[in-house]
DNA sequence: TTTCATCTAGAAAACGATTTCGATTTCTTT
DNA sequence: AAAGAAATCGAAATCGTTTTCTAGATGAAA
């Protein structure tokens, strides 16, 4: 009688174990990791049975299940993801495209995405595009194969969005620059409101001459921030003074330069709303160099709430951009899309809020 | 006569295109993405020929190659990574395990790894372990399946290293805490030397009472830093004063606390070597609060050279930890390991160096 | 004891690519 | 023109898993 551990795939067994040399038989599986077939043979069951045990199917008797589980434990078996992905059409991988990795701004976004994916048992494939749209398109091409189940893109270019829509893969955009009519799922922050609130805060403190830095930054968020600034001045009945709207590309250096120019004005401002925290750091440096006290001689407000704003001297009052939530929300939305669910709110906007610290006070009388 | 586009895999063609319903025929490939078989059929060639074109094999005639390439272009075909990975036994994925993502210290490491992998055409799977060894072990288990070709681990735990060695997968450790006798491939920085150089620099400036903060941080790098500090004092014939070696767990708060205690000493130090930049930020805060001028009344040196040290007031003199190179080097080593090469230098140590800025000067006479 | 429903387990067919190897065809060479 | 070499192409096997579908075994009900 033939023992049942010989019954499965006998021809394969013979060729695999007897007719061929050992070295040939395991050409691929060189690291000696067992496959389902080997586990099955050892346990004296069929391959599907092992698969059923692995996937917690019901149609396996308790003794069989326990035997298989013991052997899986003993041999430290883990299943081959590629084979599983091929068969199931899912890879368990999510792509995240970031403009760059050496910018701490994106770090909480990354962290938020990672948190949600970890909870869902998915893994995160990270790609930096270096702000180059061609790079982005190139990556989306390689990403659009079956290698991931979904894509998150931070600051996507128009072409990237087009390509994503064509690909048919689930995706969610973070900080979408695109036009307001766009329908692609996306998560943004209320930059306009942040600019409005920051400026209004300075106005309430009594400031009348408030400068803004960052007019030349092209990102949509930057445009909204200055729009919020202007709207706040307007709402308070204050004039919009062109000489108080400074160029700035959201770098520390441009904040420094702009501040020096502001200080040379016949009538300098009493407060500066830096478009982001990096520019605020430049503002600080210029003010320190000129020996001006913050906030007594100049109030400063930033935007983003980067970690180091807390340890600036004095700690910077700034608009908090909820970047962790940005990442978490986008990832959650993507998960729902992958699940085939409809998003009741495909375009989410997360609120910003002012974090009051010690870089602002009322202007000096006179 | 039978047209040649019908000749390949006829039975499959019939079942796939005629006998079955459309919905059933493409149960998996729901997004309408073409497969090699479909491209082959359209081009009137066999599946292997398309594969050869895709892989740039030589045994394809120019007209055939061009025809296939045109059709691949036209239909926007991209090959299924899972299938390729299964067959080739390589996934094109590298795992990077980081303690956490919300710590900007690791950012340049991540960037360095990403750079090298991008150049190599590999993709980066990112995982944060949150400093929990169990998490780490859990992840290494799921990672040790065939889903990645290699693993990079930052600050690995002992158990993680053991598990990696058992797995047989190529791996490289970054900031390995382990014993000096360990043979696993790893990349570290010269923390001891950094501590030595920083302290010596202060001694050369004329300081005699130099404090160190960060005695309680358990990481190997922290231990080496204080050892370098002590060695420098020793080499200069200066006494090791226990009251000048402060507790500190490398957080901003502990730098602040330690500084306050140091200032209450009957004879406070004239210089502080903060174990890292975060603690240096706490030192600054305490000194600013007490109205002490940096560097005139207190010299400060940090360690790590985080981005914000440049914009501190005054800019912080600190020891540069080459974190980008840490990432690049580790990734390059891993690539070589994956290629089956032997590493002539499995344990690499990258040099640190002092970055002189404006937080140090000679102590006041008397 | 017979009949029918319920469990279990396995054979075989996918999933989509790559690789090997043999069969043609085409090109040289004598 | 015949023989050998080189170029080109495709049939079939394979990677390791999941899924479907069917065949026995077992149990319960009549």
């Amino acid at each position: 009688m033939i023992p049942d551990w010989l019954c499965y795939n006998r021809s394969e067994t013979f060729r695999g174990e007897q007719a061929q040399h050992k070295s040939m038989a395991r050409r691929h599986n060189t690291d000696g990791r067992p496959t389902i077939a080997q586990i099955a043979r050892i346990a004296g069951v069929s391959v599907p049975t092992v698969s059923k045990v692995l996937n917690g199917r019901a149609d396996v008797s308790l003794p069989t299940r326990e035997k298989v589980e013991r052997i899986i434990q003993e041999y430290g078996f883990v299943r081959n993801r590629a084979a599983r992905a091929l068969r199931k059409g899912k890879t368990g991988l999510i792509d995240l495209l970031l403009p760059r990795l050496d910018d701490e701004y994106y770090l909480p976004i990354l962290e938020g995405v990672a948190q949600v994916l970890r909870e869902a048992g998915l893994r995160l494939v990270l790609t930096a595009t270096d702000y180059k749209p061609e790079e982005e398109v190139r990556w989306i091409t390689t990403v659009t194969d079956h290698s991931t189940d979904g894509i998150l893109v931070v600051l996507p270019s128009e072409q990237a969005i087009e390509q994503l829509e064509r690909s048919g893969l689930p995706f969610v955009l973070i900080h979408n620059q695109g036009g307001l009519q766009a329908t692609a799922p996306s998560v943004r922050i209320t930059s306009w409101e942040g600019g409005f609130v920051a400026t209004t805060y300075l106005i309430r403190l009594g400031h009348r001459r408030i400068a803004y830095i960052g007019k030349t930054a092209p990102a949509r968020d930057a445009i909204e921030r200055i729009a919020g600034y202007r709207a706040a001045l307007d709402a308070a009945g204050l004039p919009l003074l062109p000489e108080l709207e400074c160029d700035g590309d959201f770098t520390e250096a441009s904040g420094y330069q702009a501040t020096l120019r502001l200080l040379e004005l016949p009538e300098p401002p009493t407060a500066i709303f830096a478009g982001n925290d990096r520019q605020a750091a430049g503002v600080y440096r210029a003010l320190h160099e000129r020996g001006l006290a913050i906030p007594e001689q100049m109030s400063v407000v930033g935007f983003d709430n980067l970690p180091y704003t807390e340890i600036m001297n004095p700690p910077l009052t700034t608009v908090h951009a909820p970047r962790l939530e940005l990442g978490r929300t986008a990832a959650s939305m993507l998960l729902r899309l992958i699940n085939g669910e409809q998003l009741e709110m495909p375009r989410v906007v997360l609120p910003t809020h002012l974090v009051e610290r010690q870089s602002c006070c009322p202007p000096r009388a006179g």
Side-chain angles (χ1 to χ4, degrees), chain A residues 327-343:
Chain A
R328 289 195 64 104
T329 308
S332 306
M333 287 167 66
L334 184 61
L335 256 41
R336 291 226 296 283
L337 284 176
I338 290 172
N339 250 8
E341 296 173 36
Q342 280 286 325
L343 297 176

Side-chain angles (χ1 to χ4, degrees), chain A residues 196-210 233 236 238 270-273 294-296 298-301 317-318 354-366:
Chain A
F196 187 89
V197 167
T199 310
T200 303
Y201 172 73
L202 290 170
I203 295 170
R204 291 249 176 87
L205 282 176
H207 294 277
R208 290 297 169 264
R209 290 182 66 77
I210 302 170
L233 292 183
L238 295 173
T270 59
I272 298 177
F273 173 27
I294 309 170
E296 292 78 11
M298 183 74 79
S299 290
V300 183
V301 179
T317 291
T318 187
L354 192 73
V355 179
E356 275 188 67
R357 287 198 273 252
Q358 291 140 52
S359 63
C360 298
C361 70
R364 289 184 170 175

Side-chain angles (χ1 to χ4, degrees), chain A residues 2 20 37 64 99 134 156 227 262 271 301 303 333 341:
Chain A
I2 299 170
Q20 299 194 341
T64 309
E134 331 89 63
L262 285 172
V301 179
F303 203 119
M333 287 167 66
E341 296 173 36

Side-chain angles (χ1 to χ4, degrees), chain A residues 166-219:
Chain A
R166 272 204 310 273
S167 82
L169 235 68
F171 69 94
V172 175
L173 310 175
I174 299 175
H175 280 316
N176 183 12
Q177 307 271 359
L180 293 162
Q181 79 295 343
T183 58
S186 63
V187 192
R188 296 188 306 117
I189 59 172
T190 55
S191 282
W192 185 90
E193 195 183 326
F196 187 89
V197 167
T199 310
T200 303
Y201 172 73
L202 290 170
I203 295 170
R204 291 249 176 87
L205 282 176
H207 294 277
R208 290 297 169 264
R209 290 182 66 77
I210 302 170
Y212 176 85
I213 303 178
K215 211 173 56 176
T216 40

